């Protein structure tokens, strides 16, 4: 088992309990796996890459995480401006990629006899942690903002975690919980914790194994904290170190223009991501205005020859609808951001139409339907007019 964390920026090493480097940047686990072949196990879940993970498979619902479909969506090629495949992360047990990171958090707690896991989230991460904790008979503490919607509260609450609405600066909670976790025996796994990054890197493994021996030209992803972006970069680096990948796909991160600190830093040619003013976006799950792994994500895009772009609210809703009507996929607006970004990048010639691009659809849309109109244009007809109406259709 790998028990050291390391800083991507300055290479300092720490023991597994540290989450951030003294230079200020986030840490990740150094995988010791050195294998020159893809796994031969018949397990199609994320645990087929167990040798790359800092924990063992604990069983229960946790064992079913990952192994999500990668669909070649020819019907979206024209819209996207390239040869598009979609990785459907909504197929995870609680409907988002967060399950991959939560799975490692749960496994680590069980391995170390820690009774409580915790997280700071108002959405998919809290749902995921609460669900997988319940499946593994762990206690879960979810800290949510005071203004959370009742629908979200119910979605998290059904798994019976200890739910606390916290009044005050919600942004600071992320940092506060790192110290709190030491004080009380609760292991917090937030958006870019080393264990979360370790679990979430398996999506990069799955994508690359599906394409092997080829490599996709690019991967596009909606980015908020930068935790998942870091995870994909980490996964690709590990595959390269293991001799399973020669060239890395270009990594494109996409943000909502209303809240785009990483895209701004990219445009300004800054080396560091700094906070922006909080703002609302329909892409609710990616509204982090002070991303803790922003600078790391920025580095990933630059080093792989990718970019960071932002898209408007209209472009996000348009891409959400394109997913549904062109490909039959229900994704949340935050996920559609990636497709809107690919379309923008193809428009400006950054992605060409013969390139293979994987768009990661990070979460199912079935949890969040408020942005859709309520079918107000659906007409009602009398039963006696059904035959003639149908006849006029065909
Ligand atoms: C959490 C989340 C994101 C953003 O991931 P980060 O790791 O915070 O960058 C994107 N899409 C969905 C659906 C999410 O739940
Ligand atoms: Zn460092």
């Amino acid at each position: 088992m790998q028990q050291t964390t390391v800083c991507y920026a300055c290479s300092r090493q720490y023991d597994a309990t540290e989450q951030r480097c003294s230079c200020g940047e986030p840490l990740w686990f150094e995988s010791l796996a050195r294998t020159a072949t893809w796994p031969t196990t018949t397990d199609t879940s994320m645990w087929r890459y167990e040798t790359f993970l800092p924990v063992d498979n604990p069983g229960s619902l946790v064992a079913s995480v990952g192994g999500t479909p990668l669909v070649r969506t020819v019907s979206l090629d024209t819209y996207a401006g390239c040869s598009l495949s979609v990785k459907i992360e909504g197929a995870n047990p609680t409907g988002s990629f967060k399950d991959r990171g939560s799975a490692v958090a749960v496994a680590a707690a069980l391995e170390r006899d820690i009774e409580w896991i915790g997280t700071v989230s108002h959405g998919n991460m809290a749902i995921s942690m609460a669900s997988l904790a319940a499946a593994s008979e762990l206690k879960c503490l979810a800290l949510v903002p005071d203004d959370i919607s009742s629908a979200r509260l119910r979605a998290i609450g059904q798994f019976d975690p200890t739910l606390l609405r916290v009044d005050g600066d919600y942004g600071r909670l992320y940092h506060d919980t790192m110290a709190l976790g030491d004080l009380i025996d609760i292991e917090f796994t937030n958006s870019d914790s080393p264990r979360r990054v370790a679990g979430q890197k398996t999506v990069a493994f799955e994508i690359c194994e599906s394409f092997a021996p080829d490599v996709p030209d690019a991967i596009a992803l909606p980015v908020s904290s930068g935790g998942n972006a870091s995870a994909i970069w980490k996964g690709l680096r590990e595959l390269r170190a293991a001799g399973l990948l020669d060239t890395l796909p270009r990594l494109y991160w996409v943000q909502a223009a209303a809240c785009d600190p990483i895209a701004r830093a990219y445009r300004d040619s800054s080396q560091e991501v700094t906070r922006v003013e909080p703002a609302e976006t329909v892409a609710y799950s990616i509204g982090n205005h002070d991303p803790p792994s922003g600078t790391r994500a920025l580095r990933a895009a630059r080093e792989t020859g990718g970019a960071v772009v932002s898209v408007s609210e209209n472009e996000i809703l348009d891409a959400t609808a394109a997913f549904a009507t062109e490909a039959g996929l229900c994704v949340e607006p935050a996920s559609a951001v990636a497709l809107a970004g690919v379309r923008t990048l193809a428009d400006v010639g950054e992605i060409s139409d013969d390139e293979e691009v994987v768009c990661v659809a990070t979460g199912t849309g079935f949890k969040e339907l408020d942005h859709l109109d309520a079918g107000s244009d659906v007409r009602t007809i009398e039963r006696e007019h059904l035959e003639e109406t149908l006849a006029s259709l065909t």
Side-chain angles (χ1 to χ4, degrees):
M1 290 297 100
Q2 311 121 31
Q3 296 305 346
T4 4
T5 50
V6 63
C7 175
Y8 79 96
C10 72
S11 305
R12 278 194 194 89
Q13 294 204 359
Y14 295 85
D15 70 36
T17 57
E18 290 302 323
Q19 306 217 15
R20 283 194 100 85
C21 182
S22 57
C23 80
E25 283 300 287
L27 300 170
W28 56 26
F29 277 100
E30 204 50 278
S31 166
L32 303 176
R34 291 290 176 270
T35 150
T37 55
W38 292 101
T40 51
T41 166
T42 54
D43 186 352
T44 56
S45 79
M46 63 178 269
W47 297 100
R48 71 188 272 102
Y49 309 104
E50 204 168 2
T51 54
F52 288 86
L53 296 173
V55 285
D56 292 330
N57 182 354
S60 86
L61 183 61
V62 174
S64 73
V65 175
T68 56
L70 179 72
V71 180
R72 172 73 184 92
T73 46
V74 179
S75 55
L76 277 171
D77 283 1
T78 307
Y79 188 88
C82 58
S83 171
L84 192 80
S85 298
V86 180
K87 182 69 171 162
I88 305 174
E89 286 295 275
N92 279 299
T94 73
S96 83
F97 71 85
K98 298 286 195 316
D99 286 340
R100 296 177 188 270
S102 307
V104 169
V106 163
L110 292 171
E111 230 165 63
R112 293 153 65 237
D113 277 331
I114 290 173
E115 233 185 314
W116 281 85
I117 58 172
T119 197
V120 176
S121 158
H122 41 49
N124 288 326
M125 193 159 54
I127 295 173
S128 171
M129 289 285 274
S131 153
L132 296 187
S136 312
E137 294 180 81
L138 289 173
K139 296 187 175 114
C140 178
L141 172 67
L143 302 179
V144 301
D146 193 34
D147 60 356
I148 188 171
S149 77
S150 64
R152 274 168 185 267
L153 214 47
R154 287 198 298 273
I156 304 166
Q158 67 183 317
F159 302 110
D160 202 22
T162 299
L163 246 180
L164 290 177
R165 282 197 288 217
V166 185
D167 198 8
D169 186 345
Y170 183 70
R172 276 232 48 87
L173 264 184
Y174 164 93
H175 297 280
D176 293 347
T177 52
M178 284 193 228
L180 272 175
D182 293 342
L183 248 160
I184 43 178
D185 237 2
I186 298 183
E187 188 137 293
F188 279 92
T189 303
N190 296 336
S191 52
D192 68 342
S193 299
R195 290 200 176 85
R196 179 162 297 285
V197 169
Q200 289 172 191
K201 77 188 173 190
T202 56
V203 75
F205 294 171
E206 288 176 14
I207 291 169
C208 290
E209 190 175 0
S210 300
F211 272 84
D214 295 333
V215 182
D217 295 296
I219 297 176
L221 182 82
V223 171
S224 184
S225 71
N228 202 33
S230 303
I232 288 183
W233 190 36
K234 183 72 170 87
L236 297 175
R237 289 160 57 115
E238 288 185 6
L239 292 179
R240 185 172 55 190
L244 287 165
L245 201 66
D246 293 331
T247 47
L248 268 52
R250 310 195 302 278
L251 296 177
Y252 291 107
W253 310 142
V254 191
Q255 300 204 285
C259 184
D260 66 344
I262 308 174
R264 269 185 220 202
Y266 180 83
R267 283 196 298 272
D268 297 346
S269 302
S270 306
Q271 295 307 309
E272 255 178 52
V273 174
T274 48
R275 54 178 290 155
V276 298
E277 282 310 307
E280 298 249 313
T281 163
V282 65
Y284 189 77
S285 294
I286 57 165
N288 195 323
H289 65 106
D290 189 12
S293 275
T295 300
R296 186 163 62 177
L298 183 65
R299 177 83 84 86
R302 288 216 177 101
E303 282 200 7
T304 58
V308 194
V309 294
S310 44
V311 292
S312 71
E313 296 293 291
N314 275 341
E315 288 169 321
I316 296 169
L317 289 171
D318 194 62
T320 310
F323 261 126
T325 58
E326 307 291 318
L329 290 168
C330 176
V331 304
E332 64 171 278
S335 302
V337 162
L339 176 59
V342 169
R343 184 174 160 88
T344 303
L345 289 159
D347 265 352
V348 298
E350 170 74 32
I351 289 175
S352 58
D353 60 4
D354 60 345
E355 287 195 299
E356 296 279 350
V357 178
V358 177
C359 189
V360 182
T362 47
T364 177
F366 286 116
K367 283 187 234 174
E368 207 159 331
L369 299 165
D370 290 350
H371 57 280
L372 303 175
D373 67 49
S376 49
D377 57 348
V378 177
R379 63 196 159 124
T380 303
I381 56 162
E382 299 294 333
R383 171 60 188 87
E384 62 198 78
H385 295 141
L386 186 55
E387 286 78 2
E388 62 181 270
T389 307
L390 298 190
S392 73
L393 285 178
T394 53

